[in-house]
Amino acid sequence: MSRMLELSILGFLYEAPLHGYELRKRITALTGHVRPVGESTLYPAIKRMEKAGLLARETQAGPAAAPRHVLTLTAAGREDLRRRLAEPDALDVSDENRWFTLLAFLRHLDDPAAQAAVLRRRLAFLEEPASFFYDGERALRAEELTDPFRRGVLTVARATSKAELAWLRNTLADLDD
C-alpha cells in the first residue's frame, strides 16, 4: 500500500498543489473501496516524503479561521515520480489495483517510448497463460467449472483481459507511430 500511496501522492501533486484533505479525496476517488486511505496512513506518508525532499509544505490562510497546509511537488519529487513510472516493479505490473494506479499517472512520463515500454511489460504479463483454478497441474477453463461463482471469476477475468489486451495493443500502435 505504501508504494502505491506514495505514487498517488506524487501523481496528484504533479498535476497541482493540494492541501491534505483534497489530496485524500482524490486518492480515495482513485482507489475507491479497494484501498481506502485514512488520515492515519496519508499524513505519515506525507511527512516521510516531505522529509525526503519530495514534497514541500506552505501554510496559507484557509477559507475559515484555520490555516491550510498546501503541498507541492519539489523537483526531486517530479524526478522520483518519473522514475517510479518508468521503472515499475513486477507487482506494479501484475497486480490489477497497483497497475491501475500506475496507469492513472503514466501520462506524466513524457517519453512515448518509455510509456510504451511500461505497457509492453503489462502486455507480456497478460499474454502469459493463467488460471485461478486447477485440476492437479492442468488449468481449468470456465466451461469446466460446476461452481457458478468460480465460473464467474474466470468469465469476468477473461472478458477483462480481452478488453485490456485490445486497448494495450491499440495504444502501443499509437505510441509507436
Side-chain angles (χ1 to χ4, degrees), residues 107-123:
R107 72 181 177 281
H108 300 319
L109 192 56
D110 298 330
D111 178 16
Q115 291 171 331
V118 174
L119 295 182
R120 281 190 182 84
R121 286 186 58 198
R122 177 67 175 184
L123 180 63

Side-chain angles (χ1 to χ4, degrees), residues 8 13 15 34 43 69 72 95 100 116-117 136 141 166-167:
S8 297
L13 291 178
E15 297 167 2
V34 175
Y43 291 105
H69 301 286
T72 58
D95 178 85
F100 287 145
R141 296 186 328 262
W167 175 83

